[in-house]
């Protein structure tokens, strides 16, 4: 079945550690790719998005993501995390400009 | 710009009762979505409106869930009767153009006891 997979369900890091969250999708053809973040008690917010062009996308708060078409992946990275990055991160895909399909999410806990 | 407004923020009901959620999208956003987010899972689309017409309701349990978007602005999602497994956060989102991504509201956390 077509889907969006986030392999890390829980990640625990210390402040200043580097972060990489994996995201793979199984849709063929044209896709738009997104990362959303949900801070505790808050609504989903868009971190970054990819439509076309440079496969390395920069988003807010120092996050970036790299689209690797051959691997059907769109991994999220941050060189140095902060305690305030503690949140749940969702990868999402709009296959063929259709509805937004989410992965199951990754809970990130950053310890001070 | 004002965000997507949802109410109520929290709701606790007993099984077999009915409940309704309200959403006011960002002004000018033609497309409105209702998502269900069960604890530990990613949001799942229930229904998509384009103006006041339904575009996709394939994942909506139509025996108990209904939604409407009168006049192409506000929307209401109703559950009648509720089941225990309906406990979730119900998210409303809107978009101007799909490729821009969606703007989400804060959601309504429903607990069915």
């Amino acid at each position: 079945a077509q889907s969006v997979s986030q392999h890390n369900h829980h990640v625990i890091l210390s402040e200043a550690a580097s972060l990489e969250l994996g995201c793979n999708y199984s849709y063929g053809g044209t896709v738009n790719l997104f990362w959303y973040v949900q801070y505790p008690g808050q609504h989903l917010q868009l971190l970054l998005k990819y439509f076309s062009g440079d496969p390395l996308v920069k988003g807010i708060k120092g996050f970036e993501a790299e689209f690797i078409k051959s691997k059907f992946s769109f991994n999220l990275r941050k060189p140095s995390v902060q305690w305030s990055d503690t949140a749940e991160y969702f990868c999402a895909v709009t296959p063929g400009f259709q509805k937004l399909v989410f992965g199951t999410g990754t809970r990130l806990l950053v310890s001070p | 710009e004002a965000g997507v407004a949802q109410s109520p923020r929290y709701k606790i009901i007993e099984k077999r009762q009915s409940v309704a959620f309200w959403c006011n999208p960002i002004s000018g956003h033609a497309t409105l979505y209702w998502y269900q987010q069960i604890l530990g899972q990613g949001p799942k689309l229930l229904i998509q409106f384009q103006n006041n017409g339904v575009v996709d309701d394939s994942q909506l349990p139509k025996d108990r869930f209904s939604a409407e978007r009168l006049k192409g602005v506000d929307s209401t999602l109703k559950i009648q009767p509720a089941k225990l497994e309906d406990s979730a956060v119900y998210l409303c989102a809107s978009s101007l153009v799909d490729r821009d991504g969606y703007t989400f509201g804060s959601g309504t956390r429903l607990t069915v006891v």
Side-chain angles (χ1 to χ4, degrees):
Chain A
Q2 296 179 322
S3 66
V4 180
S5 300
Q6 292 182 244
H7 306 294
N8 308 105
H9 297 294
H10 294 89
V11 173
I12 301 174
L13 295 173
S14 299
E15 275 194 316
S18 63
L19 170 72
E20 181 160 2
L21 302 181
C23 173
N24 289 90
Y25 61 94
S26 60
Y27 300 95
T30 302
V31 292
N32 295 328
L33 300 155
F34 306 82
W35 275 96
Y36 281 83
V37 61
Q38 190 168 29
Y39 298 104
Q42 297 188 27
H43 60 276
L44 282 163
Q45 300 173 41
L46 183 64
L47 265 183
L48 48 78
K49 58 189 177 185
Y50 172 81
F51 298 144
S52 62
D54 189 344
L56 186 60
V57 180
K58 295 194 182 299
I60 60 172
K61 304 185 181 185
F63 286 90
E64 63 180 29
E66 184 175 13
F67 171 52
I68 302 179
K69 188 174 182 179
S70 61
K71 295 185 178 180
F72 295 86
S73 70
F74 190 56
N75 292 353
L76 181 71
R77 299 195 292 248
K78 186 171 184 178
S80 176
V81 295
Q82 302 171 322
W83 175 79
S84 58
D85 292 324
T86 293
E88 189 159 16
Y89 293 81
F90 292 93
C91 180
V93 175
T94 53
F97 306 109
Q98 299 301 311
K99 61 193 178 190
L100 196 60
V101 179
F102 285 87
T104 53
T106 297
R107 287 184 181 270
L108 172 65
L109 175 63
V110 180
S111 58
Chain B
E1 63 181 4
V4 175
Q6 288 190 250
S7 67
R9 286 297 306 273
Y10 305 93
K11 190 74 176 179
I12 301 174
I13 62 172
E14 295 182 348
K15 59 184 179 183
R16 292 187 290 273
Q17 286 188 321
S18 62
V19 65
F21 314 126
W22 173 83
C23 172
N24 186 6
I26 291 175
S27 178
H29 281 194
T31 312
L32 183 147
Y33 315 82
W34 283 101
Y35 278 80
Q36 180 193 56
Q37 186 177 13
I38 293 173
L39 187 65
Q41 300 180 21
K44 182 186 80 171
L45 180 71
L46 291 175
I47 188 167
Q48 175 185 351
F49 290 95
Q50 182 76 19
N51 296 310
N52 61 350
V54 175
V55 174
D56 183 351
D57 64 356
S58 57
Q59 303 263 54
L60 188 73
K62 298 180 186 65
D63 58 333
R64 298 184 300 106
F65 286 65
S66 64
E68 59 183 10
R69 191 182 183 196
L70 300 176
K71 301 180 182 179
V73 181
D74 293 7
S75 178
T76 302
L77 177 69
K78 297 180 181 178
I79 308 175
Q80 182 179 10
K83 293 185 175 181
L84 296 176
E85 58 261 36
D86 298 332
S87 294
V89 176
Y90 290 85
L91 298 166
C92 181
S94 68
S95 69
L96 186 60
V97 179
D98 277 352
R99 61 176 286 149
D100 287 341
Y102 306 172
T103 301
F104 283 85
S106 298
T108 296
R109 183 177 296 278
L110 173 68
T111 302
V112 182
V113 298

